[in-house]
Amino acid sequence: MSILNQLKEEQLFTNAEQVVVRYILKHPRAVINATIGEIAEAAYSSPSTIGRVCKKVGVDGFAQLKIKLATELDRLIENEKAVDVMLPVHKDDDVRDFPKILFNLHHQALLNAYHSVDIRVVQRVADVLYRADYVYVLGSQQSFILAQDFLCKTAKLGLPFSNPSMVGFNNNLYRQRKAKRQAALIISQYADSRKVGRWVDDLKHIKSEICLLTSNAKSPNIWKANHAIIVENEEESVGKIGNFASRTGMSYALDILYMMLFVKDYDENLENIRTFLKDRERPDW
């Protein structure tokens, strides 16, 4: 059930909690842009009461409540119902509706990502990767494809990014002799596999600054990483027919990161790309 619909179930809340609920329902846009302290003051309530309301509607805290609320409000503007990201189509659906269903699914995924990605964290990650003398870009399975795509983009910037498995080392991590400052970007939807755990441990051993991009806010590896970009989506590890929402959300975050890296040497990067295109237009003979 949606957050807005749950908030309308008055029997779920105590009298004190209903005061908060009524304020949220009356001022949803203001809630999205406010702190928990500001809402507590405006609703003549307390942060602890707001925290109890959050738990009763199935979210971990006020920050997640704002993300869910913002996404639902955007869907209402588009006048579209939510798509089940685990099973977006059913056998009785008209195949002519598939384009619209998938459009809505990806639109929904982008809204989740837009409202959940902390741009300040992405900026810190961009700074870390830009300053590093060597950067490992790591991902497995579906995330490996995202890592490859990110590497193809950043290759245009002349940055020292590499994925060990792409050059035949099977993701073995070795300290680069001339790299005084090493960093790593681990891309993983759930970030809780043994492989990701091993990467984190190995990277710590070679004193690399670790940046993690994940959709799992409860991953134990978040606390081991130096920086974590969290991209909200509604996919679970079991029962989905494809990585639709997660792929869209993670790609969106990586594109933001790439743009931040690009603008650090904007004029030089633009000139290099234009020169490359000009050279490619010359005949081979």
Side-chain angles (χ1 to χ4, degrees):
M1 185 184 293
S2 75
I3 295 294
L4 289 170
N5 286 339
Q6 289 183 79
L7 289 171
K8 294 174 183 177
E9 299 287 335
E10 292 187 0
Q11 70 275 12
L12 294 176
F13 308 102
T14 65
N15 290 337
E17 291 164 357
Q18 285 183 25
V19 174
V20 173
V21 169
R22 284 194 289 270
Y23 182 87
I24 294 173
L25 290 174
K26 188 174 181 179
H27 309 283
R29 289 289 175 190
V31 171
I32 293 169
N33 298 307
T35 66
I36 190 170
E38 289 169 341
I39 297 304
E41 183 178 354
Y44 301 100
S45 184
S46 67
S48 60
T49 302
I50 297 173
R52 290 195 298 272
V53 171
C54 293
K55 288 183 178 180
K56 287 187 176 181
V57 296
V59 296
D60 292 334
F62 185 64
Q64 191 177 21
L65 175 72
K66 293 200 294 182
I67 291 169
K68 299 287 186 182
L69 187 60
T71 302
E72 287 187 22
L73 290 173
D74 283 337
R75 287 177 192 160
L76 291 175
I77 291 173
E78 295 296 327
N79 195 30
E80 295 288 354
K81 66 178 182 179
V83 178
D84 182 355
V85 299
M86 303 291 287
L87 187 62
V89 297
H90 302 84
K91 67 177 182 179
D92 297 328
D93 288 339
D94 190 327
V95 295
R96 291 172 294 185
D97 290 334
F98 285 6
K100 183 177 182 180
I101 291 171
L102 290 171
F103 174 84
N104 289 336
L105 186 155
H106 291 295
H107 178 255
Q108 182 175 307
L110 282 171
L111 287 174
N112 277 328
Y114 174 75
H115 289 298
S116 63
V117 170
D118 188 333
I119 199 68
R120 296 166 299 181
V121 178
V122 183
Q123 183 66 66
R124 287 200 296 270
V125 169
D127 291 341
V128 168
L129 300 185
Y130 182 77
R131 293 195 305 263
D133 300 311
Y134 190 85
V135 176
Y136 304 91
V137 180
L138 303 168
S140 64
Q141 299 183 24
Q142 292 291 324
S143 296
F144 177 71
I145 297 172
L146 294 173
Q148 284 182 304
D149 180 69
F150 184 70
L151 282 168
C152 288
K153 291 187 179 76
T154 54
K156 299 177 181 179
L157 311 183
L159 297 172
F161 291 8
S162 176
N163 184 314
S165 66
M166 292 178 67
V167 292
F169 287 98
N170 194 28
N171 282 337
N172 292 321
L173 304 178
Y174 301 101
R175 182 169 183 83
Q176 303 301 308
R177 289 177 57 194
K178 296 181 180 180
K180 294 182 179 180
R181 186 184 299 217
Q182 294 191 127
L185 174 63
I186 299 176
I187 304 166
S188 177
Q189 163 75 346
Y190 303 108
D192 57 5
S193 67
R194 282 182 293 181
K195 177 177 281 190
V196 172
R198 188 168 63 250
W199 283 341
V200 171
D201 291 340
D202 289 348
L203 289 163
K204 281 187 170 296
H205 179 71
I206 60 176
K207 296 180 173 55
S208 176
E209 192 163 0
I210 303 170
C211 305
L212 177 64
L213 172 62
T214 183
S215 296
N216 182 10
K218 297 180 179 180
S219 165
N221 289 301
I222 283 180
W223 316 117
K224 296 180 182 180
N226 301 97
H227 314 277
I229 303 171
I230 300 174
V231 186
E232 290 277 353
N233 67 61
E234 299 164 350
E235 282 185 7
E236 298 176 8
S237 58
V238 178
K240 60 184 176 183
I241 63 172
N243 298 323
F244 302 112
S246 58
R247 182 188 64 203
T248 295
M250 303 278 267
S251 293
Y252 172 76
L254 285 168
D255 285 346
I256 296 173
L257 180 57
Y258 170 70
M259 290 300 177
M260 288 185 174
L261 291 168
F262 187 94
V263 299
K264 286 182 178 296
D265 299 302
Y266 186 87
D267 292 333
E268 180 182 346
N269 287 329
L270 198 58
E271 181 60 29
N272 287 340
I273 290 173
R274 287 172 174 169
T275 301
F276 175 77
L277 290 174
K278 183 178 179 181
D279 291 342
R280 286 291 297 269
E281 290 173 355
R282 294 175 181 171
D284 294 333
W285 41 269

